[in-house]
Amino acid sequence: MADISANFLGIKSPNPFWLASAPPTDKKINVLRAFEAGWGGVVWKTLGSQVKNVSSRYSSVNFNNTRMMGFNNIELISDRPLQINLDEIRECVRLFPDRAMIVSLMADNDKQSWHDIIAKVEDTGAHGIELNFGCPHGMTERGMGAAVGQDPEIAKMVVEWVMEKATIPVITKLTPNVHSVVPTGKAVVEAGTDALSLINTIQSVTGIDLDTLVPNPYVAGKSVFGGYCGPAVKPIALKMLTTIAQNPVTSKVPVSGIGGISTWKDAVEFMLLGSTTVQVCTAVMKHGFRIVEDMCEGLNNWMDEKGFATINDFIGKSVQNITHWEDLDINYHIVANINQDKCIHCGLCYIACEDTSHQSINLTYGKPYNTYSIKEEECVGCNLCKLVCPVEDCITMVEQRKGNEYLNWKEFQLRGLPLNDH
Amino acid sequence: MIESNRLTAEQYEQNFSDIHPPFENKEAALVEANRCLFCYDAPCIKQCPTSINIPKFIKQITTDNIKGSAHTIFDSNIFGGGCSKVCPVEKLCEGSCVYNLLHEAPIPIAKLQRYSTEKAIRDKWKLFERKPSNGLKVAVVGAGPAGLSCAHVLSRHGVDVTVFEKESKGGGLMTYGIAAYKVTPSFCQDEVDFILSLGGIEIKYDHELGKDISIEELQKNYDAVYLGIGVGLANKLNIPGEELQGVEDAIGFIYDIRTKGYPNISVGDRVAVIGMGMTAIDAATQAKRLGAKEVTMVYRRTEAQKNCTQHELDIALLDGCKMQWLAAPREVIGENGRVTALVCDIMTLGATDHSGKPAPEPTGQTITLEVDMVIKATGQNPFTDLINKNGIENNRGKVAVKDNAVTNIDGVFAGGDCVNGGKEVVDAVQAGKDGAAAILNFLQPKNIASIHQLNSYSTDERIATQQPML
């Protein structure tokens, strides 16, 4: 059995699965249920100045039969009185001392406000603080949330205030609503943050009701931009995570990965790109806390199969495998192959290639079943046919190198090699 | 003992309720619609005699475009509603669904087709508009699937169509010849009304060809004539005792069930149904559902040669019908003029005959079934006399046509069961479309382009061979 426990800046949790700062971590009743279900830690929903929430608050993007492929919210930080939150945090830490308790904070934009709230949070026995520099709605108008995270100078200043006061580890949460997360990431690392977490939600309009013409979520005939999350944002989060892992400054601090994580496989991908722990929200809002069981078991089984004894054995392992385009090997060439025994003659590969790619698939008419085969000399190895094929391993990509040596674009140009003639 | 009114009202209601219930709700339909892979040049389309663009109409269900979905279906098959209930889809569209090759359940195409078409028919959606009347007049004989399909296409092209129907309702076999638990008479009426809502089609009911009207008369008064007259009564057995009371033909039996009300239909205690086609199944299952204690289906070959689909046979078996394979009726025995038994030769299979099936040969042994009713369902006779009397070239009563619809008489066209001898409803619908194409071709040789425009769908094969299609 592998050891799946995590140690994040000395904050220990029995597994790397934390709940992100969000509605599921807003109250003691939720958090205790999460701990009972087996979650390794929580980031308590953001505390700060007094707010009031509206109704409704959520909307989603469904895809075919899958509900909540993307999820969107316009909820603000915790709208409960600060003292109730603090009392409940203290109680949760007392009842589950082995779980990580991080508290998300978003104070008013002055040093004293931050110092006051940090003192109160540390007094609860919480293990760490997460700075919410990412909330994209509601708080930004008051100069908080993403308004801080989008400006490296302001972010740096706030982190400096925080680090003056904090005695427990500080994680700075980054907003994705920027062209790159690296400038703010660098600024806050230089200001002394102990760790980073990313991504927060992405500003979005999830859809419009075609009867009322009002976008959702609907609030008395109007809507606002919300924060987008769920499985749809995972690829974007992974890319941003990679840029943090590859930057010499930001890669010095541990990262807690966030963004559409629903399964142990998603979690492993975040960890392979440098996350020490991961945070989950949308998946539990859809299915409840019970999903952590399979996350733990799946991670454990995968680690056993791969021979990883602890999570540190694989964290960051894939970072080096994402390179620059100009370093890719141009001599690497693959062509598609259709396994005729597996083919169900749906024609999806053919029409995708014929209409939108390189006309590399033959159609031989049959009634009712056509036969499809690859024109190898035309195939550029783009993967499209394999991606659209509904049958596992029916289309495989077979390596047919153009040359034995590694050849990148720079070298290709230097040698004046010919471009494609079709 | 043959008697009517064997069951309570509730029992009749239950026994004749819809055998293929529709989707309960939108979500249920979407689960299945979203499974559809949206195949290119899809096998299901090729296996549909009317070439409905099935992946497209299913995709349209998933995009909340039910109106578009219904239009896609009806554009190829104006009987798309009824066909969704009566088509033997397991040997047509659903039988070719690529999911079968994955050993997964095929997409329930018929049920999805019903989902879209039932809404259209119920809510009387106006999906088609006819071109302004061009003054051409066509007479269609027979308001069945072939005739109305032909009439609908012609009317869309601006032709004024008059349909002559010998019965008092439209729909033909759909209305009068199919088990009531598949399509209800009221649905058939709604479907005919839906077709007629296009305008430009007038049906003259209770007008029978050869009695109330003649082909010559129609030729004189119309620019073209289309015959979609179907086939007639069941084949005779030509065995002793056939005239006994209690021997009925399946077509008449089913006609009565659909027109007279279930409690008024008499059925025996022990019924033998002769034949193993779709009509035989419909007769056997409905005899059972009317309260017969025992129904035995008698077929001279084995299960492997049956004409019905496995699905249909399963319905009969589930209804408790017994199967007597390898038995050919030899004599009906009676007492006091009433049936008491059916004597059959026990057969064995010999060499393949002209039908392509092994020929049944008597073994010399016989079997006697104690029955009080015999229902004959061994195929139907074409209207041979009528056809011959009008000088129409035919093949043993089946109208001979060129190019799918053109008869030997100038300006007279034909299609459906009267040409093919009796196939599926969906085949008759396609025949009607072919007939309309031929008629438009005949009336306006230069206007064929507009016929092409009517088609919203084409397969590679058709493009390749430049076949006109509708």
Side-chain angles (χ1 to χ4, degrees):
Chain A
M1 274 284 265
D3 174 7
I4 63 168
S5 67
N7 183 339
F8 191 92
L9 295 166
I11 302 170
K12 291 178 180 161
S13 60
N15 60 57
F17 308 125
W18 295 357
L19 290 174
S21 166
T25 60
D26 190 29
K27 296 193 297 292
K28 182 175 85 174
I29 183 171
N30 303 82
V31 170
L32 291 182
R33 287 177 66 83
F35 285 160
E36 279 160 15
W39 286 88
V42 302
V43 182
W44 197 276
K45 186 171 163 86
T46 308
L47 309 182
S49 53
Q50 199 57 53
V51 299
K52 181 86 181 124
N53 275 303
V54 295
S55 161
S56 59
R57 302 177 191 179
Y58 306 140
S59 61
S60 71
V61 173
N62 302 334
F63 189 75
N64 288 354
N65 274 353
T66 305
R67 293 194 164 260
M68 287 170 65
M69 177 205 73
F71 188 60
N72 173 70
N73 84 89
I74 58 167
E75 191 171 286
L76 305 183
I77 63 174
S78 178
D79 54 13
R80 310 162 78 214
L82 179 63
Q83 194 55 48
I84 291 179
N85 278 306
L86 294 170
D87 292 345
E88 290 189 0
I89 291 167
R90 187 189 311 276
E91 181 72 356
C92 291
V93 171
R94 188 180 69 78
L95 290 169
F96 284 90
D98 65 327
R99 310 302 168 89
M101 173 62 76
I102 315 296
V103 179
S104 174
L105 296 180
M106 187 196 292
D108 286 341
N109 232 350
D110 62 85
K111 193 188 217 173
Q112 196 54 47
S113 297
W114 280 99
H115 284 192
D116 290 349
I117 200 164
I118 288 167
K120 287 174 182 165
V121 167
E122 290 200 349
D123 189 50
T124 64
H127 309 114
I129 292 167
E130 185 180 80
L131 308 181
N132 182 345
F133 288 177
C135 181
H137 48 261
M139 308 310 291
T140 49
E141 291 88 332
R142 304 196 210 170
M144 292 182 270
V148 177
Q150 285 164 342
D151 187 329
E153 286 303 312
I154 299 175
K156 185 174 180 181
M157 178 180 72
V158 175
V159 170
E160 282 167 357
W161 295 341
V162 169
M163 299 317 294
E164 282 174 21
K165 180 74 180 172
T167 63
I168 57 176
V170 173
I171 306 166
T172 302
K173 185 169 179 175
L174 300 177
T175 176
N177 297 303
V178 286
H179 78 278
S180 166
V181 290
V182 171
T184 301
K186 270 170 72 175
V188 298
V189 168
E190 281 161 2
T193 189
D194 299 304
L196 296 171
S197 61
L198 73 163
I199 58 174
N200 207 311
T201 56
I202 302 171
Q203 279 202 311
S204 69
V205 176
T206 46
I208 300 175
D209 183 315
L210 295 185
D211 289 324
T212 65
L213 311 188
V214 179
N216 50 47
Y218 177 98
V219 182
K222 299 288 178 192
S223 191
V224 292
F225 298 156
Y228 197 48
C229 54
V233 310
K234 190 186 98 175
I236 300 165
L238 287 174
K239 180 264 175 182
M240 290 180 162
L241 174 64
T242 304
T243 61
I244 291 294
Q246 291 184 334
N247 181 276
V249 176
T250 52
S251 62
K252 286 183 197 146
V253 299
V255 174
S256 186
I258 313 164
I261 296 161
S262 309
T263 68
W264 66 268
K265 287 170 116 175
D266 298 330
V268 166
E269 289 171 328
F270 274 77
M271 294 166 83
L272 286 169
L273 289 175
S275 301
T276 300
T277 64
V278 295
Q279 300 181 26
V280 175
C281 177
T282 305
V284 296
M285 291 188 74
K286 185 174 179 191
H287 299 295
F289 296 134
R290 59 204 164 121
I291 62 168
V292 76
E293 294 167 24
D294 179 63
M295 295 182 80
C296 290
E297 290 164 21
L299 174 62
N300 217 313
N301 290 337
W302 177 77
M303 286 172 64
D304 283 347
E305 277 167 31
K306 301 296 287 184
F308 296 126
T310 73
I311 60 172
N312 294 320
D313 294 347
F314 68 87
I315 288 171
K317 277 240 188 266
S318 296
V319 174
Q320 60 174 8
N321 293 335
I322 296 182
T323 183
H324 298 107
W325 193 92
E326 60 187 15
D327 292 327
L328 294 173
D329 182 1
I330 287 176
N331 271 340
Y332 178 77
H333 184 71
I334 52 175
V335 294
N337 180 269
I338 300 173
N339 182 335
Q340 297 297 339
D341 293 334
K342 290 191 172 179
C343 178
I344 59 169
H345 315 282
C346 66
L348 295 183
C349 59
Y350 171 81
I351 197 58
C353 188
E354 194 70 10
D355 276 358
T356 70
S357 284
H358 296 83
Q359 298 76 45
S360 309
I361 300 181
N362 286 306
L363 182 161
T364 309
Y365 184 85
K367 189 167 191 290
Y369 300 119
N370 297 342
T371 305
Y372 300 98
S373 56
I374 301 293
K375 302 177 200 165
E376 289 196 4
E377 66 285 0
E378 300 292 332
C379 177
V380 302
C382 73
N383 277 349
L384 181 63
C385 56
K386 175 188 162 79
L387 295 175
V388 300
C389 179
V391 182
E392 189 78 15
D393 294 333
C394 174
I395 297 182
T396 49
M397 307 304 292
V398 181
E399 189 167 339
Q400 292 184 2
R401 289 189 65 87
K402 294 286 188 190
N404 289 328
E405 59 170 343
Y406 163 82
L407 176 69
N408 66 31
W409 171 240
K410 279 179 276 184
E411 183 63 22
F412 183 92
Q413 283 177 302
L414 281 176
R415 294 189 199 173
L417 292 170
L419 294 169
N420 294 334
D421 56 7
H422 57 77
Chain B
M1 169 105 166
I2 298 183
E3 59 182 356
S4 57
N5 207 16
R6 287 171 175 260
L7 308 174
T8 64
E10 291 75 33
Q11 285 173 313
Y12 282 120
E13 168 87 30
Q14 192 186 341
N15 287 356
F16 287 90
S17 67
D18 204 330
I19 195 167
H20 301 298
F23 285 111
E24 293 275 336
N25 49 47
K26 178 179 164 185
E27 283 66 35
L30 282 180
V31 166
E32 291 297 340
N34 275 316
R35 282 180 65 224
C36 176
L37 297 174
F38 200 49
C39 292
Y40 173 74
D41 199 17
C44 54
I45 304 176
K46 293 181 190 169
Q47 292 302 82
C48 173
T50 58
S51 304
I52 294 174
N53 191 338
I54 294 161
K56 180 179 171 185
F57 95 67
I58 293 177
K59 185 88 175 166
Q60 289 173 307
I61 292 175
T62 70
T63 69
D64 273 339
N65 182 7
I66 306 298
K67 219 168 244 183
S69 176
H71 183 274
T72 301
I73 296 162
F74 288 128
D75 192 39
S76 290
N77 181 343
I78 197 62
F79 277 87
C83 281
S84 76
K85 299 165 188 241
V86 306
C87 262
V89 288
E90 57 278 11
K91 67 175 183 185
L92 299 174
C93 54
E94 291 182 19
S96 69
C97 176
V98 299
Y99 271 111
N100 292 299
L101 303 177
L102 283 173
H103 305 288
E104 293 287 329
I107 301 297
I109 296 167
K111 208 169 169 183
L112 289 165
Q113 183 168 316
R114 176 172 176 172
Y115 180 77
S116 295
T117 54
E118 263 190 352
K119 276 189 171 49
I121 293 171
R122 186 195 62 206
D123 296 344
K124 302 182 166 59
W125 285 341
K126 184 112 183 103
L127 298 174
F128 301 99
E129 216 162 308
R130 68 185 300 242
K131 288 181 187 167
S133 174
N134 54 23
L136 294 165
K137 294 193 302 175
V138 171
V140 170
V141 185
L148 288 187
S149 161
C150 178
H152 196 264
V153 174
L154 290 173
S155 177
R156 281 175 74 181
H157 278 77
V159 176
D160 295 322
V161 184
T162 306
V163 182
F164 297 91
E165 168 57 50
K166 70 175 176 183
E167 299 289 345
S168 58
K169 285 177 184 161
L173 192 70
M174 192 78 106
T175 300
Y176 291 105
I178 286 173
Y181 54 75
K182 291 184 193 164
V183 274
T184 62
S186 72
F187 172 83
C188 293
Q189 186 61 54
D190 291 345
E191 181 164 57
V192 170
D193 292 344
F194 177 77
I195 294 168
L196 298 183
S197 69
L198 174 69
I201 305 170
E202 185 196 0
I203 304 187
K204 290 188 183 298
Y205 292 108
D206 305 310
H207 280 65
E208 184 172 351
L209 183 65
K211 222 184 247 175
D212 309 300
I213 45 168
S214 70
I215 290 181
E216 282 139 41
E217 195 186 326
L218 295 178
Q219 277 186 290
K220 204 159 60 183
N221 296 329
Y222 295 88
D223 298 303
V225 178
Y226 182 78
L227 302 177
I229 58 176
V231 285
L233 294 178
N235 284 328
K236 293 194 88 172
L237 298 172
N238 295 318
I239 58 172
E242 193 167 355
E243 72 295 340
L244 288 167
Q245 202 182 329
V247 179
E248 287 198 33
D249 86 74
I251 302 301
F253 179 65
I254 294 169
Y255 179 95
D256 286 349
I257 291 173
R258 298 192 63 93
T259 53
K260 293 184 177 165
Y262 310 125
N264 298 319
I265 309 303
S266 298
V267 68
D269 284 331
R270 308 174 74 176
V271 181
V273 176
I274 299 162
M276 199 54 73
M278 297 295 218
T279 302
I281 298 277
D282 282 0
T285 53
Q286 292 192 109
K288 199 82 179 34
R289 287 163 188 245
L290 284 168
K293 289 176 185 144
E294 188 177 289
V295 174
T296 306
M297 297 189 71
V298 177
Y299 182 50
R300 60 198 177 127
R301 293 188 173 94
T302 70
E303 183 174 346
Q305 291 83 37
K306 66 184 184 298
N307 290 316
C308 65
T309 63
Q310 186 61 44
H311 177 75
E312 294 283 320
L313 179 60
D314 289 344
I315 295 173
L317 290 169
L318 284 170
D319 277 4
C321 298
K322 294 182 174 176
M323 300 296 146
Q324 182 63 57
W325 307 106
L326 289 168
R330 180 192 179 94
E331 183 180 2
V332 185
I333 312 281
E335 271 174 34
N336 305 324
R338 292 167 183 270
V339 175
T340 58
L342 175 68
V343 182
C344 300
D345 286 315
I346 294 186
M347 313 297 276
T348 184
L349 292 183
T352 304
D353 64 14
H354 69 274
S355 71
K357 294 178 178 179
E361 293 158 4
T363 58
Q365 290 172 294
T366 62
I367 181 175
T368 300
L369 305 172
E370 307 270 329
V371 294
D372 51 14
M373 185 177 188
V374 173
I375 301 175
K376 302 178 286 183
T378 55
Q380 289 165 262
N381 275 317
F383 294 107
T384 314
D385 291 349
L386 184 64
I387 304 284
N388 277 329
K389 213 183 289 172
N390 282 285
I392 301 171
E393 268 180 29
N394 62 82
N395 173 20
R396 289 189 295 173
K398 294 192 278 184
V399 178
V401 294
K402 284 183 300 184
D403 300 333
N404 291 329
V406 183
T407 73
N408 62 308
I409 303 177
D410 194 42
V412 177
F413 302 80
D417 283 358
C418 68
V419 169
N420 64 36
K423 286 169 96 176
E424 307 300 339
V425 171
V426 66
D427 294 300
V429 174
Q430 183 57 37
K433 288 157 63 185
D434 292 341
I439 290 169
L440 290 170
N441 201 20
F442 169 75
L443 295 176
Q444 299 172 281
K446 286 176 190 164
N447 203 24
I448 194 74
S450 70
I451 299 170
H452 282 291
Q453 281 164 15
L454 189 65
N455 297 295
S456 55
Y457 164 73
S458 61
T459 66
D460 279 359
E461 179 189 42
R462 282 182 158 138
I463 291 167
T465 57
Q466 288 298 304
Q467 290 175 335
M469 40 160 199
L470 281 160

